Amino acid sequence: MCVKDGQFTILELVEALGLSLTSSQPHTRARAVQLLSEVLHDCYGGLTEREVEVLIAFYENRLKDHYVITPAVLQGLRALTKCTVLPPGSAVSMLRSLFQDVHVQSLMLGERACVYNMLINLMATREAELKGLGADFVFGFVQSMDGERDPRNLLLAFQIARTIVLRGYDLGKFTEELFEVTSCYFPIDFSPPPNDPHGITREELVQMLRDVLTGTARFAEFLLPLIIEKLDSDVQSAKLDSLQTLIAGVSKYEHKDVAEYLEGLWASLRREVFQTASEKIEAAGLAALTALTSCLSRSVLNSDSEDSLSTFLQLVLTDCRHHLCEPDLKLVWPSAKLLQAACSASNRASHVVADAVMPALIEQYNGTAQCSQRRTLLEVVQQFVQSVKTCENEESAFSAFRPPLCSMVFSALTETNASLQITATSVLTSLAQQNDLLLDSDVELAVDHLTRLLLTKEDERVSLAVVECAGALAELSSAAFVTNLIPRLKEELFSKPTDQNDSSEASEKHSHHAVRQRCLSALAAVSTQPGVVQESAPVLLEVLGSAHTGGFVFSVEEVVAACGSLRRIAERVQDTEETGRCFHDIIIPRLLSLALQAALQGEGSTGRRSPLLQELVLAAMVPVISTSCFRLQPTLAEQTATRLVSLFLDGDVSFLPDNSFPSNLQLLKKQQEDSWSQSQMVCLLLGCVCSLPRTVEVPRLDELMTQLEEMSCTCSHLLSYTSAAKCFAGLANKRAPGESLDCLIQRTTKRVCSELDCASSPVRTQAFTLLIWVAKALLLRYHPLYSTLTDKLFSLLDDADLGPAAADAFWLLMSDSPDILNRGCHADIRIMYRQRFFSENSAKLVQGFNAAPQEKKPNYLKALSNIVNKLPKQVQLTELPALLSLLLEALSCPDHGVQLSTLSCLQPVLIEPPPALIQQLEALVGRLLGLTSSAVMSVRIASLRCIHSISCFPAHEVLPFRARVLRALSRPLDDHKRLVRREAVRARAEWFLLGSPGGS
């Protein structure tokens, strides 16, 4: 401390230690040098250049002293290598003394690490001086490292070697020696011991050694033969390491570095792909072939140089091409994969391979009539097309084969075999994704084929493939879809099924319904460009309009599918101002207009009710509006919000098409008992205002929320008051914090609680619904008033009428809502809100359970299960001991919902059981075995899965239950449900093997 504080200099310390440093006893000298080195370790930053120079001279001299002093000397030198004031030439001097006077591998582990750290420090700060040593530095390092076995020191040695090869140190005549001293560890075979405190992994060693071996092209002549040798190994990890090292190496080599070894490398790679049983090794072999071909592709051709790429590709083609033409196609896939790997390396390689392979594949396809072989050949062609890499201005290697390729695809589309047609659509999709492989005329012909398949092919797999292909082609050329496909689909949608008077009428209607569903899916798939949306969206809106007016008969499923297509268009279409205008000016107003017409129409004179009044249809409209508003530009989003708020508050219908509505509309006011058709439209308002970003201001917010609160507390229609409550909650969640929000929440809470406290209130259910949603909205954002609402919810667990519903409400509080109060709707959601809610309220739940009468306890158990079930697994493991008795009680609860929720909570915990659970094993096993006879199938399955998991507990804990469990599981083996029998077999098999050799 005195030296560190400046009371003494380091040289004064040396003088003070003089007698010890010059003692005739080696151990005394060693202790003195050790003390000096420890002081240096703490004080090296404050040394002067003169002091460092003296100390280096002293330590260099001590390296010649007795071997017991060497460890302390090395520690001192290591401290000096960290000094920023090393005199010029001192780094070279230290290393010369080190290499000359110390045999590193005779040292202990720590001293060897000290030497390696000295080298690392000097290479980081004195690189120029070390490079001045020339190849002598490399020779000294090779001698120091030779024979190293400890993984910790190998990491340091590999780090030094990597720096040598990457930083351009002169290897001189010691290139092979450096390679040999490092490559002897290749491939790495190291498995760290359990609980290794040093944390060294095999992956670290592998990567560090790979960086060394592939760091310089001068190692190529040694590395490539070594890799060829190691690929003959039977050890899978060695093969994989060799292939990955080859990939890393050839990415830095030039063609001349690998030319001599091409035949050997190709033979090894070919064998690994043709004969391996490992997908990883096959993938690595193909990647290595791609990297090798890419290396050869970088060669610059001179008039007197050999084209290494052509030579190598000729080897590949000679061994693989003939397999593509064999009648049985037995080896077609390994051969094709190898050729595709070479093809994907570069544009030059793709041209060579395509010119050699494509004529044979086309001839083979045209010469066979078997659909299975044709499909295989098409799949091979598709993989070739997908493997080609082309730049924007480069011509594709397959451009010369465009006409026969298109002919192959179109002929396959005309076949009757479904698998062949599906493959043809995939090939067509791949052609569309390449530059200039499909002309406009090809796209038009493809659209004709796809339209025919869409309208005539009943196979669902073909329909899905056609729709996917149409979507890909529409991104390439939208004109053909606007002029050909969309008009044809519209014609089919609005056609009537042929009249039938016999038993085929039902099947005809079913077929027509299936065609309509496919047409609606296709309209959504092709609508990715704004120009196509402007043509397809009106068709879908016309479907909704015709369904409403009855001009054409559309089923509810078809109307829902039309809304689903509009939603998918809103999700997938390019986000441009033109698209935003389309949704803002056309789609959203038209949807609102149709819904409002249906609501005002009610029962017609003919007794027919518009399908747009049905909840299924309205529920399908909401995502269309919410997705559209979510993607609108801020200005358009504000305008849309203003329009809808004016419509629902003032009855402003000026922006709606077909404006023949009455002027006194009051959609949020209390309606007559039978006027639910208007009030339920509030769900469309929810879709708009609750999906807007928080930066978009909703106009007249106070007035709007007041009306929503009134509707949610007074309306008797389920969809209406639920939607109003959700909309109120969504707005409260995003509203800026402040006094106005607090006053609004307090007022709403007071009203809700007063209704809930009155057992005879006719609107208790409505108030309860509002309570749940507002509590969730405030919980998500950590609003201080949320606890008032959740405390009220806890108190309702004792309510005779609302107790079970209150228990179910905790599931809603803890789970993600699909339509509102989620991140997709820009809701304000704080991290770990579930954990916070649990930590603040679990004690209340336990106290309530203990105080509740027996008949109310199931409500508390279900609430607890619903809360715990949604917690992260780590939190469950932490909290389980305190709640285990309650969860076991929940398994005995007669409520099947409580049982199932508790089982789903326990199942993941049983995989890594905490000690508290093992202590309760008797009670747990007994309750689970009882549930295997439950009347509910899902409970039986969940209990059997839990019993299966328990078989993996420590054997000495579960062996006493083995006979009991096996007897109990004999009954579910005869269960009348196959899924139950399957779980029983799995569980019983594990318990049967328990305690036996090879068992659990």
Side-chain angles (χ1 to χ4, degrees), residues 70 90 113 139 209 228 301 340 441 448 507 531 670 748 757 894 906 946 956 976:
T70 303
S90 58
F139 178 68
L209 178 57
I228 294 172
L301 296 181
Q340 290 154 11
S441 58
D448 291 340
S507 63
K670 185 174 181 180
T748 303
D757 291 340
L906 282 174
C946 289
H956 67 279
H976 63 286

Side-chain angles (χ1 to χ4, degrees), residues 171-247:
L171 304 184
K173 58 184 178 181
F174 301 112
T175 302
E176 185 173 0
E177 283 74 8
L178 179 60
F179 178 82
E180 289 296 336
V181 81
T182 52
S183 65
C184 64
Y185 302 98
F186 179 82
I188 294 289
D189 182 18
F190 168 70
S191 297
N195 304 316
D196 179 17
H198 306 289
I200 296 176
T201 64
R202 177 182 179 275
E203 290 70 25
E204 283 181 300
L205 289 167
V206 166
Q207 187 58 53
M208 193 72 76
L209 178 57
R210 184 176 299 154
D211 291 344
V212 175
L213 298 182
T214 62
T216 173
R218 297 182 64 180
F219 283 167
E221 61 177 310
F222 313 115
L223 177 61
L224 295 178
L226 178 64
I227 288 176
I228 294 172
E229 175 190 339
K230 296 300 182 181
L231 285 174
D232 288 332
S233 169
D234 294 329
V235 181
Q236 300 294 303
S237 60
K239 287 189 175 186
L240 188 60
D241 192 3
S242 298
L243 290 169
Q244 291 171 344
T245 302
L246 175 61
I247 295 170

Side-chain angles (χ1 to χ4, degrees), residues 250 383 609 631 652 771 823 831 911 985 988:
V250 297
Q383 295 299 321
R609 191 182 297 274
R631 297 192 64 188
D652 181 6
L771 169 71
R823 287 186 171 82
I831 61 172
I911 298 174
V985 168
R988 196 171 188 272

Side-chain angles (χ1 to χ4, degrees), residues 431-618:
L431 292 175
Q433 293 167 349
Q434 294 290 324
N435 295 337
D436 302 326
L437 283 188
L438 289 180
L439 304 179
D440 290 341
S441 58
D442 299 324
V443 175
E444 291 180 4
L445 185 55
V447 169
D448 291 340
H449 283 291
L450 296 178
T451 305
R452 174 182 54 79
L453 290 174
L454 198 65
L455 301 180
T456 61
K457 197 71 176 178
E458 295 292 337
D459 192 309
E460 185 177 354
R461 297 173 303 143
V462 176
S463 303
L464 291 173
V466 168
V467 169
E468 183 180 351
C469 179
L473 289 175
E475 296 182 7
L476 174 67
S477 174
S478 59
F481 291 89
V482 171
T483 58
N484 296 348
L485 179 67
I486 293 178
R488 185 71 183 88
L489 296 182
K490 179 179 179 181
E491 179 185 345
E492 190 65 31
L493 282 170
F494 291 97
S495 65
K496 296 181 179 180
T498 56
D499 294 331
Q500 301 285 340
N501 298 320
D502 53 20
S503 59
S504 64
E505 180 178 358
S507 63
E508 181 70 22
K509 287 184 177 179
H510 175 75
S511 175
H512 189 63
H513 170 73
V515 171
R516 280 182 166 178
Q517 293 279 7
R518 295 199 294 269
C519 292
L520 294 171
S521 297
L523 283 173
V526 302
S527 300
T528 56
Q529 307 290 332
V532 181
V533 173
Q534 291 177 355
E535 299 296 329
S536 62
V539 175
L540 295 169
L541 292 172
E542 191 174 343
V543 169
L544 299 180
S546 297
H548 165 63
T549 60
F552 284 89
V553 178
F554 287 93
S555 67
V556 173
E557 292 81 4
E558 290 165 353
V559 176
V560 170
C563 293
S565 294
L566 284 171
R567 175 184 57 79
R568 287 194 295 275
I569 291 173
E571 290 172 344
R572 298 175 64 245
V573 70
Q574 291 181 1
D575 194 5
T576 63
E577 185 175 355
E578 183 182 2
T579 304
R581 283 287 173 190
C582 180
F583 279 92
H584 176 265
D585 296 335
I586 299 174
I587 297 176
I588 294 177
R590 180 63 175 157
L591 285 175
L592 292 170
S593 176
L594 290 171
L596 187 55
Q597 289 175 32
L600 294 173
Q601 175 183 307
E603 288 268 346
S605 57
T606 61
R608 177 188 175 275
R609 191 182 297 274
S610 170
L612 271 60
L613 287 174
Q614 298 210 23
E615 289 187 16
L616 278 175
V617 177
L618 283 173

Side-chain angles (χ1 to χ4, degrees), residues 5 88 160 323 382 401 410 447 544 652 730 748 842 844 887 933 975 988:
D5 295 339
I160 297 169
H323 291 306
Q382 180 187 7
F401 305 101
F410 295 148
V447 169
L544 299 180
D652 181 6
T748 303
S842 58
K844 299 176 185 177
L887 292 174
S933 302
D975 197 280
R988 196 171 188 272

Side-chain angles (χ1 to χ4, degrees), residues 360-399:
L361 288 174
I362 294 170
E363 181 181 356
Q364 178 88 334
Y365 180 88
N366 293 329
T368 182
Q370 293 186 25
C371 289
S372 60
Q373 290 191 357
R374 283 193 158 197
R375 186 181 75 248
T376 300
L377 290 167
L378 274 179
E379 290 171 348
V380 171
V381 168
Q382 180 187 7
Q383 295 299 321
F384 272 111
V385 173
Q386 290 177 339
S387 68
V388 170
K389 294 180 180 178
T390 55
C391 299
E392 289 186 11
N393 299 325
E394 289 182 344
E395 184 182 27
S396 171
F398 294 93
S399 297

Side-chain angles (χ1 to χ4, degrees), residues 74-75 199 213 285 300 313 376 426 498 555 594 809 820 872 931 941 960 1000:
L74 292 175
Q75 291 180 28
L213 298 182
V300 179
L313 290 179
T376 300
S426 299
T498 56
S555 67
L594 290 171
I820 194 174
L931 292 177
I941 291 175
S1000 299

